[in-house]
Amino acid sequence: MFSWKLLPGAVRRYGYAFTFKRAWNFGKVAASFGLSRLLRRDVRFGQPCVLMIEPTSFCNLKCPLCPSGNDTLGRARGNMDLTHFYHVLDQAADHVFLLMLWNQGEPFINKNLLDMVRYARSKRIPTITSTNVHFIRTPQDARDIVASGLEEIIVSLDGVTAESYLKYRVGGDFERVVEGIRLLGEARRDLGADSPIIHLQFIIMKHNEGEIDQARALARRLGADRLSLKTAQVYTQADAETFLPTDERHSRYRYDAEKLATKAPVVNSCKHLWYSTVVNWDGSVSPCCFDKDGRHSLGNAVNGRSLSQVWEGVAYRDFRNTVLSDRASIPMCSNCSEGLKDQFYNIENLEK
């Protein structure tokens, strides 16, 4: 999920992405969202401004709360074909000002990932990816990433020691992660580049909630530019008891509720359905990244229809109207971070 806290900085940093077409599209989308909330029905002008494309749904780790890692993902696995990526991005290039290359799975498993980054850069579209870093193994790997034009790389680091890291990142290698981050920073310096931004992500859980200060110190030591303190998403009461931190300030859930419930009420609105969309590895379009299993597939952008046709189609319209009238009836929306101020990402810029 894109954090809108990043938007002002992204606009300043990624000025090369500005075009009048994209600015005009953003204005139309903002107006349509406002009208939709006012009229309580789907009004659409323009196309999505932010695009998430899933390079792969495979992962090398077995993280217990991740459907891709714990083998509960309710849709087929695969890697996005490069020609399909070109097809989707070509359709979106005039109006998208940010491309996120991840969803489920580890993006670097798709060997065409950096080709995707380079192609987006040729279209003046900034790219961000999110990784567990295990595929940044050599100085050349790191140099290739820096040279690709990737603007930001989010690195999963949910522990400051090998012991705490492995409690969640099952099958991972803490030292390899640390080395991968170091290699990225070194490559960036060697090439005289200021990107990609190295953004460490720390999911706060019961076993690591006492390590937040150490995580800040480690991030600075590794030369990271940003640190995100992120709340954990759980799906069952058993997960909650195992993983949620004891300090409720570090959780998106209410601890006084009889059943699992987020701290914010489920309101009949969601900006993501007007501003952004998700294209999975097989071209299927989901309303957002919380639709991990593809249960709300709205069409397919590589299988006979265009992305804009899906975006303007009946299925998308009906889904938006349901959100505007009865969002609580959609199970995934009851376990979503929308409306949770400072309870999804708390992003800190690290001083050098």
Side-chain angles (χ1 to χ4, degrees), residues 185-209:
E186 188 176 85
R188 203 170 59 173
R189 288 190 299 273
D190 289 347
L191 295 174
D194 61 359
S195 62
I197 292 171
I198 300 174
H199 182 165
L200 268 59
Q201 177 181 276
F202 187 88
I203 301 177
I204 305 172
M205 293 173 275
K206 185 177 289 185
H207 64 270
N208 67 13
E209 62 184 312

Side-chain angles (χ1 to χ4, degrees), residues 8 27 36 39 87 89 111 145 193 219 268 288 303 311 317 351:
S36 295
L39 300 175
H87 176 72
L89 199 65
K111 303 206 180 287
I145 291 169
N268 293 330
C288 71
N303 205 9
W311 179 254
R317 182 198 65 197
E351 296 178 2

Side-chain angles (χ1 to χ4, degrees), residues 78-118:
N79 295 313
M80 174 167 272
D81 186 88
L82 192 56
T83 58
H84 289 166
F85 173 83
Y86 292 157
H87 176 72
V88 172
L89 199 65
D90 284 345
Q91 298 172 53
D94 282 347
H95 51 262
V96 165
F97 62 75
L98 184 65
L99 172 64
M100 298 180 290
L101 286 169
W102 80 93
N103 185 14
Q104 297 301 296
E106 164 53 46
F108 282 92
I109 285 177
N110 188 322
K111 303 206 180 287
N112 294 317
L113 179 69
L114 295 186
D115 291 319
M116 296 176 180
V117 172
R118 285 186 282 265

Side-chain angles (χ1 to χ4, degrees), residues 275-296:
Y275 286 86
S276 62
T277 194
V278 176
V279 179
N280 297 311
W281 71 268
D282 60 354
S284 61
V285 177
S286 289
C288 71
C289 64
F290 282 91
D291 185 22
K292 297 176 173 66
D293 293 330
R295 291 176 181 168
H296 301 283

Side-chain angles (χ1 to χ4, degrees), residues 172-235:
D173 184 330
F174 179 75
E175 295 304 327
R176 175 174 284 181
V177 173
V178 170
E179 176 65 4
I181 298 167
R182 187 194 66 77
L183 287 171
L184 271 176
E186 188 176 85
R188 203 170 59 173
R189 288 190 299 273
D190 289 347
L191 295 174
D194 61 359
S195 62
I197 292 171
I198 300 174
H199 182 165
L200 268 59
Q201 177 181 276
F202 187 88
I203 301 177
I204 305 172
M205 293 173 275
K206 185 177 289 185
H207 64 270
N208 67 13
E209 62 184 312
E211 299 180 350
I212 293 174
D213 287 339
Q214 295 99 306
R216 287 191 182 100
L218 178 59
R220 289 192 177 94
R221 233 175 17 252
L222 292 173
D225 305 290
R226 288 179 177 152
L227 172 69
S228 284
L229 301 175
K230 185 179 178 182
T231 58
Q233 182 183 30
V234 296
Y235 301 90

Side-chain angles (χ1 to χ4, degrees), residues 4 23-49 268-276 311-312 316-317 320-321 323-324:
W4 294 89
W24 176 239
N25 180 68
F26 182 85
K28 289 194 293 184
V29 169
S32 67
F33 176 57
L35 282 171
S36 295
R37 292 186 68 182
L38 178 66
L39 300 175
R40 311 315 303 173
R41 63 177 177 80
D42 178 30
V43 177
R44 254 169 305 109
F45 314 128
Q47 297 291 313
C49 304
N268 293 330
S269 175
C270 181
K271 58 184 174 290
H272 297 282
L273 296 180
W274 278 261
Y275 286 86
S276 62
W311 179 254
E312 296 166 0
Y316 230 132
R317 182 198 65 197
R320 290 190 188 97
N321 282 331
V323 165
L324 289 168

